[in-house]
């Protein structure tokens, strides 16, 4: 596929992802307020509990989606319709089995609901009927939504995400109107089910129209060695994702153990900001993932390296700038939104910012790692990260409280995937000396530290009423770091590549 087409697809994917995420987040917040105002707290609890149960059941899917998407990159790039059809047939069978398994396990949970919900909620609807509706949504989705992966692998995420956001927005509006008029929960759930089913059916229809050959009855089955390779990748991804869940979901439990639920609430104000920024910025890398996969499937080694350096520059600029904002401004944002009593010591935004940066700076690496199919390398490493994080959190939490628990995450990541994943991408994917990456990583981190210190120094001179002080601090955080980053990068090859990319993009838009 031509470079122009990759560029167009990437930009459409990014714009759709960013715009949809922002609109959906705001609308979701409004919808939650309406939900709370129109229904009792029991309904909110039921929603949270059933969502968590079915999220756990949906872990059966872990790994299959990414493995199949990677397998589709090359056939799509060279337009091998026979191989695409074979992969989709295999994918369809796998997902039908998963759908049935999720449904069976979900039904097996019904007798145990009474043990989980000790005090029956004071609601007029039948609890088990509500649960069955919740169960129907993910179970039925597996029979349709697998086709969305083909569209995404073909660099057209904007179709999938755009449709999803449109239906979700319409669904949320109808649900809010319905709740305001009736204050009735069952109809609210049925509207949600109709939305999910509509999304699945439309995506399936679009995929069948765009790729009619996948519906052919004369499809060759995958060869045994291809199935073996896919199975191996799926296993590796499953281990990696399950380990990631352990790493990312133990801190709050340990914080509660050492410091209580109140501290979890205080720290969550800071982590909510960093998580929102992380999700928002990763819409960019999600948007380019398929185009990078397509590019790496057909381009030379030198071009792969050139593109990686460009993406890594964007990665640092975005996440470095956001990290600076977390360190310098997060306490001010918390104070404005929640009050002075919720502001934590300066060491907390510093360590939250450091963890955010370490994870964020892996975005370019993970984009390449996934697009090159390097799933098996380091598949057990996140288990080590999870164990280290747990042990160090217990030790440092006892010593330094909240800061120690968050710092344990920093150490455990630094000792494992922060260095290993780039090593794998450079050694096995780009076939380059990994020392080049680590040298650049250290230089960029030092640049960020100097920029943060410079920003804090400039902000220390701001002496005026509080609101005006915050506005000036925001302006300093917008202007100063970008000037420093520009001075540092403007002569480097990857920045020249970036300028050339922007010029081509402008020409592309003007031609339109």
């Amino acid at each position: 596929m031509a470079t122009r087409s990759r560029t167009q697809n990437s930009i459409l994917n990014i714009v759709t992802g960013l715009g949809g995420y922002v609109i959906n987040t705001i609308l979701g917040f409004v919808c939650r307020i309406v939900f709370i105002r129109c229904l009792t707290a029991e309904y909110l609890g039921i929603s949270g509990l059933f969502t968590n149960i079915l999220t756990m059941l949906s872990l059966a899917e872990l790994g299959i989606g990414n493995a199949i998407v990677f397998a589709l990159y090359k056939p799509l790039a060279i337009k091998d319709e026979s191989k695409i059809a074979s992969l989709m047939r295999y994918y369809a069978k796998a997902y039908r089995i998963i759908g049935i398994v999720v449904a069976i396990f979900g039904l097996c949970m019904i007798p145990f609901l009474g043990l989980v919900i000790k005090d029956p909620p004071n609601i007029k609807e039948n609890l088990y009927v509500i649960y069955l509706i919740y169960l129907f949504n993910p179970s039925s989705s597996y029979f349709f939504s697998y086709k969305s992966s083909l569209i995404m692998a073909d660099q057209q995420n904007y179709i999938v995400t755009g449709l999803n956001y449109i239906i979700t927005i319409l669904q949320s509006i109808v649900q809010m109107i319905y709740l305001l008029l009736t204050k009735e929960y069952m109809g609210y759930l049925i509207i949600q089910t109709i939305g999910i089913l509509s999304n699945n059916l439309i995506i399936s229809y679009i995929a069948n129209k765009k790729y009619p050959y996948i519906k052919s009855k004369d499809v060759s089955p995958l060869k045994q060695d291809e199935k073996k390779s896919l199975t191996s990748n799926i296993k590796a991804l499953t281990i990696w994702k399950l380990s990631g869940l352990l790493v990312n979901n133990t801190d709050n439990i340990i914080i509660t153990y050492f410091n209580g639920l109140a501290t979890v609430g205080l720290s969550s104000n800071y982590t909510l900001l960093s998580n929102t920024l992380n999700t928002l910025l990763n819409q960019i890398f999600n948007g380019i993932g398929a185009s990078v996969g397509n590019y790496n499937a057909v381009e030379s080694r030198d071009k792969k390296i050139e593109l990686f350096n460009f993406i890594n520059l964007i990665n640092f600029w975005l996440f470095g700038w956001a990290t600076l904002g977390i360190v310098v401004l997060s306490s001010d944002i918390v104070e404005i939104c929640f009050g002075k009593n919720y502001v934590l010591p300066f060491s907390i935004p510093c360590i939250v910012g450091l963890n955010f940066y370490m994870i964020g700076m892996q975005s370019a690496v993970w984009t390449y790692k996934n697009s090159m199919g390097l799933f098996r390398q380091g598949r057990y490493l996140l288990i080590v990260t999870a164990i280290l994080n747990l042990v160090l959190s217990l030790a440092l939490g006892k010593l330094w409280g909240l800061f120690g628990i968050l710092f344990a995450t920093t150490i455990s990541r630094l000792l494992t995937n922060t260095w290993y994943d780039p090593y794998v991408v450079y050694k096995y994917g780009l076939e380059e000396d990994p020392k080049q990456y680590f040298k650049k990583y250290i230089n960029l981190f030092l640049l960020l530290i100097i920029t943060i210190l410079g920003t804090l120094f400039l902000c220390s001179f701001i002496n005026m009423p509080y609101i005006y002080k915050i506005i000036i601090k925001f302006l300093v955080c917008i202007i100063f770091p970008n000037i420093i980053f520009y001075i540092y990068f403007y002569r480097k090859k990857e920045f020249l590549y970036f300028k050339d990319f922007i010029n081509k993009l402008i020409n592309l838009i003007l031609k339109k």
Side-chain angles (χ1 to χ4, degrees), residues 333-374:
I333 293 169
V334 168
E335 185 174 345
I336 290 170
C337 295
F338 308 106
K340 273 190 176 182
N341 293 335
Y342 289 86
V343 175
L344 293 171
F346 182 62
S347 60
I348 300 304
C350 285
I351 197 66
V352 169
L354 180 58
N355 285 333
F356 170 84
Y357 177 78
M358 287 176 65
I359 296 169
M361 273 302 288
Q362 297 282 85
S363 296
V365 169
W366 287 334
T367 299
Y368 258 64
K369 192 170 186 279
N370 289 333
S371 73
M372 291 177 159
L374 301 170

Side-chain angles (χ1 to χ4, degrees), residues 207-305:
N208 290 340
K209 290 290 286 183
K210 286 178 69 66
Y211 315 98
Y213 49 85
I214 66 173
K215 296 294 291 178
S216 171
K217 293 183 179 180
D218 187 24
V219 176
S220 303
L222 288 175
K223 296 177 183 176
Q224 201 59 39
D225 60 327
E226 290 173 327
K227 288 183 181 178
K228 188 176 178 182
S229 177
L230 267 174
T231 303
S232 180
N233 285 341
I234 289 166
K235 286 178 181 177
L237 278 163
T238 301
I239 292 166
W240 188 79
K241 289 191 175 185
L242 283 171
S243 303
L245 286 172
L246 287 174
V247 174
N248 296 322
N249 291 284
T250 54
D251 279 0
N252 281 348
I253 298 169
I254 298 167
I255 292 168
T256 304
Y257 175 75
F258 281 114
N259 300 90
L261 281 169
T263 305
V264 173
L266 291 172
S267 64
S268 67
N269 293 327
Y270 289 85
T271 53
L272 175 64
L273 175 62
S274 65
N275 290 339
T276 302
L277 282 170
N278 186 58
T279 305
L280 183 66
L281 293 179
N282 269 314
Q283 297 299 321
I284 295 168
F285 296 93
N286 293 338
I288 66 172
S291 295
V292 171
N294 179 281
Y295 188 89
N296 286 335
V298 295
E299 295 294 352
S300 67
R301 174 175 156 273
D302 288 343
K303 287 192 173 183
K304 291 176 189 177
I305 294 167

Side-chain angles (χ1 to χ4, degrees), residues 36-142:
I36 292 168
R37 295 282 175 88
C38 294
L39 298 170
T40 62
E42 280 92 345
Y43 289 105
L44 194 62
I46 289 166
S47 177
L49 174 64
F50 289 169
T51 300
N52 285 342
I53 290 172
L54 295 171
T55 298
M56 292 301 294
L57 289 174
S58 297
L59 291 178
E61 189 271 344
L62 282 178
I64 294 179
N66 282 0
I68 294 287
V69 166
F70 165 70
L72 285 166
Y73 283 147
K74 190 165 185 180
L76 282 166
I78 62 175
K79 303 188 186 304
D80 187 345
E81 294 182 357
S82 174
K83 179 56 64 66
I84 294 166
S86 298
L87 284 165
M88 291 306 293
R89 181 67 57 87
Y90 178 83
Y91 198 14
K93 286 180 182 177
Y95 260 50
R96 286 187 191 115
I97 292 168
I98 291 168
I100 293 167
V101 167
V102 168
I104 291 170
F105 274 96
L107 291 171
C108 290
M109 285 291 294
I110 290 175
F112 301 99
L113 290 179
L115 297 174
V116 178
I117 306 169
K118 294 180 181 178
D119 299 316
N122 183 24
I123 59 172
K124 61 182 180 180
E125 296 88 358
N126 185 293
L127 189 66
Y128 296 99
V129 174
I130 293 172
Y131 176 75
L132 287 172
I133 294 173
Y134 268 94
L135 177 60
F136 175 79
N137 292 338
S139 302
S140 62
S141 293
Y142 287 116

Side-chain angles (χ1 to χ4, degrees), residues 340-482:
K340 273 190 176 182
N341 293 335
Y342 289 86
V343 175
L344 293 171
F346 182 62
S347 60
I348 300 304
C350 285
I351 197 66
V352 169
L354 180 58
N355 285 333
F356 170 84
Y357 177 78
M358 287 176 65
I359 296 169
M361 273 302 288
Q362 297 282 85
S363 296
V365 169
W366 287 334
T367 299
Y368 258 64
K369 192 170 186 279
N370 289 333
S371 73
M372 291 177 159
L374 301 170
F375 305 125
R376 280 165 274 184
Q377 289 83 353
R379 58 190 179 278
Y380 299 112
L381 192 66
L382 267 181
I383 296 175
V384 178
T385 310
I387 294 168
L388 271 175
N389 186 44
L390 184 60
V391 172
L392 289 172
S393 291
L394 290 169
L396 298 180
K398 190 174 181 180
L399 193 64
W400 295 323
L402 175 60
F403 176 83
I405 294 165
L406 297 174
F407 188 49
T409 305
T410 307
I411 297 170
S412 59
R413 286 190 180 278
L414 187 64
L415 293 175
T416 53
N417 60 310
T418 296
W419 69 267
Y420 186 77
D421 287 340
Y423 173 83
V424 166
V425 167
Y426 261 71
K427 185 171 178 64
Y428 301 107
L430 299 175
E431 298 176 346
E432 280 282 290
D433 186 353
K435 288 177 184 175
Q436 294 179 39
Y437 176 85
F438 297 125
K439 183 180 176 182
K440 188 177 291 184
Y441 188 94
I442 292 167
N443 288 338
L444 292 177
F445 184 68
L446 291 174
L447 171 65
L448 179 61
I449 295 296
I450 292 166
T451 308
I452 290 174
L453 291 174
T455 306
L456 289 169
F457 178 73
L458 288 174
C459 289
S460 68
F461 290 100
I462 303 170
N463 187 18
M464 54 182 64
Y466 188 69
I467 292 297
Y468 298 110
K469 181 181 178 181
I470 299 303
I471 293 170
I472 299 300
K473 283 180 77 173
F474 262 97
L475 291 173
V476 170
C477 289
I478 290 168
I479 298 166
F480 180 71
N482 286 298

